[in-house]
């Protein structure tokens, strides 16, 4: 094997298959009484998405397309709670699935992603980490303890 060829990780090779199996397992569980069928199906899609993102089995744009497609079909084949016995349909399922983007929360997440990308491109993230490491130390446990103590003291000073 040539050095230029890198061996693919287990997650990249089998991440998509593992995610599909995990989603199928979630779908095989009985739907709890308090949970609507749509919620049960969305939990399965959430499990699929988390595994796909953790293993990087497919690229992010492809995973976004696959997740939206699964949402359309899985929710579209779910019974409509307003009309007993009728299916929800894919157009209503897409409206329901994409309605979260009508809030302002997505803008906050998008802005945070742009800021983090900018920090990584400019190297600011490494400078901040180096500053924190120099100031607090390399041991993560002590860094957390020092941060908590500092926060408690700051809160106590403000409270008094």
């Amino acid at each position: 094997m040539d050095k230029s060829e890198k061996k693919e990780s287990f997650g990249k090779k089998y991440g998509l298959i593992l995610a599909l199996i995990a989603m199928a397992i979630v779908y095989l569980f009985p739907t709890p009484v308090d949970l609507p069928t749509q919620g049960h199906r969305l939990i399965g899609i959430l499990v699929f998405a988390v595994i796909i993102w953790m293993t990087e089995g497919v690229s992010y744009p492809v995973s976004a397309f696959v997740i939206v497609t699964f949402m359309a079909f899985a929710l579209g084949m779910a019974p409509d709670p307003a009309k007993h016995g009728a299916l929800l349909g894919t157009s209503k399922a897409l409206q329901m699935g994409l309605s979260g983007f009508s809030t302002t929360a997505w803008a906050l997440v998008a802005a945070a992603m742009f800021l983090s990308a900018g920090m990584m491109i400019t190297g600011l993230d490494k400078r901040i980490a180096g500053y924190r490491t120099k100031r607090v130390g390399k041991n993560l446990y002590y860094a957390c303890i020092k941060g908590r103590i500092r926060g408690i003291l700051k809160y106590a000073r403000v409270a008094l």
Side-chain angles (χ1 to χ4, degrees):
M1 184 159 88
D2 192 271
K3 284 189 176 183
S4 62
E5 293 179 31
K6 291 185 180 178
K7 189 175 180 184
E8 263 189 325
S9 68
F10 180 81
K12 281 195 182 252
K13 259 187 183 175
Y14 302 110
L16 180 63
I17 295 168
L18 290 173
L20 288 169
I21 290 170
M23 184 171 66
I25 289 171
V26 170
Y27 286 165
L28 290 175
F29 287 145
T31 306
V33 178
D34 299 346
L35 184 68
T37 306
Q38 292 92 347
H40 183 238
R41 300 220 175 138
L42 283 175
I43 289 173
I45 294 169
L46 175 69
V47 168
F48 171 83
V50 168
I51 292 173
I52 280 293
W53 292 332
M54 286 176 57
T55 61
E56 295 180 354
V58 295
S59 65
Y60 291 119
V62 172
S63 72
F65 175 75
V66 170
I67 290 166
V68 170
T69 304
F70 278 154
M71 283 174 48
F73 285 114
L75 292 178
M77 299 299 160
D80 190 354
K83 303 173 190 169
H84 297 288
L87 295 179
L88 189 62
T90 54
S91 64
K92 268 191 178 177
L94 276 173
Q95 280 179 337
M96 210 165 110
L98 297 176
S99 65
F101 292 105
S102 64
T103 65
T104 56
W106 76 269
L108 178 66
V109 172
M113 289 178 71
F114 280 114
L115 282 173
S116 67
M119 286 176 65
M120 288 171 49
I121 289 170
T122 60
L124 182 61
D125 59 337
K126 291 179 183 168
R127 288 188 297 220
I128 291 172
Y131 173 75
R132 293 288 297 164
T133 303
K134 189 182 344 175
R135 187 156 178 201
V136 178
K138 290 184 180 178
N139 192 335
L140 183 62
Y141 176 76
Y142 292 120
C144 291
I145 296 297
K146 284 181 181 178
R148 287 186 182 147
I149 290 172
R150 191 173 288 138
I152 290 169
L153 292 176
K154 192 179 284 188
Y155 176 75
R157 187 174 43 184
V158 170
L160 296 176

